[in-house]
Amino acid sequence: MYNVPMGYMAQSFTSFFNMQPSTVKGIFNATTQHYKRILYNEVKSRYEFGLPKNVAMNWFRYWTFEFGSICFIYTREFGWIAQPYGISALDINYQPKEVTVSNPNLPDTKRGLVGINAVIVHCFDDYYGFDSIVTKYAEMLAQCDRNVNVNLMTSLSSKIFAGKDKKQVDDMKLALAEATQGNPVVFELAEGLDGLDIRSIMGDFKSEFIADKTMIVKRLIINEFLTVVGLNNANIDKRERLNGDEVNANNEEVKSIASIVLENLEEGFKELRLLTGLSESECYVRFRKFPKEEGGENDDSKDDSVRVQ
């Protein structure tokens, strides 16, 4: 069944239930929220915009990328503004035809006809945002952090030994205290190691320490996320520069989703320019060009290598 474009309330409802844990998903907690903020900034960094003067950049980026779409509508009071919207009618292709916009600063509810006094700018074909993608990877990274934190805590734990009586326990505590200071522990033969029956209850923490491996997994998760949202990255297992075929394969995968998002955004901005009369230098969306490591701008169409991050 076709996904009808969602309004603000429906998207909020979906976003809320997307945050709930289950037996197969990660847990949405403070660490997940921390990574969501970081990953959303990665997504936003891929694009740069030119907007009508009454539209705040941070507000536009937040709403468009998280909820998937936003409505530009003309008002007598403020001119062109960007707002969440409700859909009151769809056209023959199930695209928004009539919309409503409410805001405490507006004297009444505004109604718009798409293509006449309103424009919908959206990221994906189904009008959803990046939230499901960002939340998935944020939860995975949060689980990695939890693993690392537990490993660091257990690495500080003391050994646990069993003694057959109080005297033996006291002797063992004294011996371990000396040993941890680097002093030699020496017993009379009659009460040597066999007599003390020293046996550790807890295992070898060093063999169970996997925090270093988890940090590598984190990097792999981040690289996969960057590929999904359209940011260049490379296999961290390879320390040398990648060859041309490897780079081309990576570039095609990187550009797949980003190209769809850019195409949808450009379509909305093209219509916005027609209605507002703004030029392409004033109202636009494009991929951001990042400076190369050696200096200068990074042109994706000419760059034949991807450096390991």
Side-chain angles (χ1 to χ4, degrees):
M1 182 177 178
Y2 182 80
N3 272 326
V4 175
M6 294 196 303
Y8 162 64
M9 292 303 295
Q11 292 183 62
S12 297
F13 185 81
T14 300
S15 180
F16 173 79
F17 281 99
N18 183 54
M19 297 177 182
Q20 306 311 303
S22 71
T23 55
V24 295
K25 284 177 83 266
I27 298 175
F28 190 90
N29 52 28
T31 307
T32 304
Q33 186 62 39
H34 163 75
Y35 278 112
K36 284 190 69 172
R37 293 184 64 201
I38 293 174
L39 297 182
Y40 262 120
N41 283 330
E42 295 281 5
V43 174
K44 296 171 186 176
S45 72
R46 187 70 171 98
Y47 306 88
E48 58 179 332
F49 301 92
L51 300 172
K53 63 179 181 179
N54 289 327
V55 179
M57 181 66 72
N58 62 332
W59 159 248
F60 169 79
R61 285 192 300 218
Y62 163 73
W63 197 268
T64 304
F65 287 112
E66 182 152 337
F67 291 100
S69 66
I70 197 167
C71 176
F72 286 89
I73 189 169
Y74 181 78
T75 64
R76 289 191 299 271
E77 296 82 6
F78 299 98
W80 285 93
I81 59 175
Q83 295 290 304
Y85 62 97
I87 302 171
S88 53
L90 298 172
D91 65 15
I92 190 65
N93 295 309
Y94 293 96
Q95 300 301 297
K97 179 180 179 182
E98 298 179 11
V99 296
T100 57
V101 168
S102 298
N103 187 295
N105 295 288
L106 295 172
D108 53 18
T109 298
K110 301 298 180 182
R111 300 184 180 278
L113 291 174
V114 176
I116 304 299
N117 67 330
V119 177
I120 304 297
V121 172
H122 60 98
C123 295
F124 292 101
D125 291 347
D126 56 10
Y127 286 70
Y128 283 61
F130 280 87
D131 197 68
S132 61
I133 299 173
V134 170
T135 300
K136 165 185 164 58
Y137 287 98
E139 288 175 343
M140 293 170 69
L141 291 171
Q143 290 181 76
C144 287
D145 273 14
R146 183 181 181 185
N147 186 309
V148 171
N149 289 337
V150 170
N151 259 221
L152 293 175
M153 291 287 287
T154 56
S155 68
L156 299 175
S157 299
S158 300
K159 290 282 188 178
I160 299 178
F161 296 93
K164 61 184 179 182
D165 54 40
K166 187 176 186 305
K167 181 180 182 301
Q168 189 181 83
V169 169
D170 290 340
D171 289 343
M172 290 170 63
K173 289 168 69 175
L174 178 61
L176 289 171
E178 291 293 320
T180 55
Q181 297 298 320
N183 299 322
V185 179
V186 181
F187 300 95
E188 293 182 11
L189 185 60
E191 292 188 5
L193 295 180
D194 291 336
L196 287 175
D197 191 26
I198 299 177
R199 290 177 296 177
S200 173
I201 295 176
M202 300 190 72
D204 181 8
F205 291 116
K206 184 176 181 180
S207 65
E208 298 172 1
F209 188 81
I210 59 171
D212 51 344
K213 298 178 181 178
T214 304
M215 295 302 293
I216 296 175
V217 172
K218 276 186 66 175
R219 187 68 250 177
L220 292 172
I221 293 171
I222 291 173
N223 277 357
E224 181 179 317
F225 172 80
L226 294 177
T227 298
V228 168
V229 301
L231 286 165
N232 283 340
N233 60 90
N235 186 345
I236 62 172
D237 292 331
K238 298 195 174 184
R239 303 303 177 188
E240 73 280 1
R241 291 174 67 91
L242 303 182
N243 63 44
D245 290 339
E246 291 172 320
V247 170
N248 291 335
N250 179 263
N251 284 346
E252 291 303 314
E253 191 175 2
V254 164
K255 293 176 181 178
S256 58
I257 289 182
S259 296
I260 293 294
V261 173
L262 182 64
E263 183 179 331
N264 284 325
L265 292 172
E266 283 181 330
E267 182 180 349
F269 272 81
K270 180 180 179 180
E271 188 172 8
L272 184 60
R273 286 194 297 270
L274 290 175
L275 296 183
T276 61
L278 295 174
S279 66
E280 287 192 31
S281 63
E282 298 172 302
C283 183
Y284 61 86
V285 55
R286 59 184 175 228
F287 285 146
R288 187 185 304 275
K289 293 183 178 179
F290 296 98
K292 282 187 176 180
E293 188 174 322
E294 297 85 358
E297 291 186 330
N298 183 14
D299 185 350
D300 289 340
S301 65
K302 298 179 181 179
D303 191 14
D304 61 351
S305 65
V306 178
R307 284 195 176 277
V308 176
Q309 296 187 356

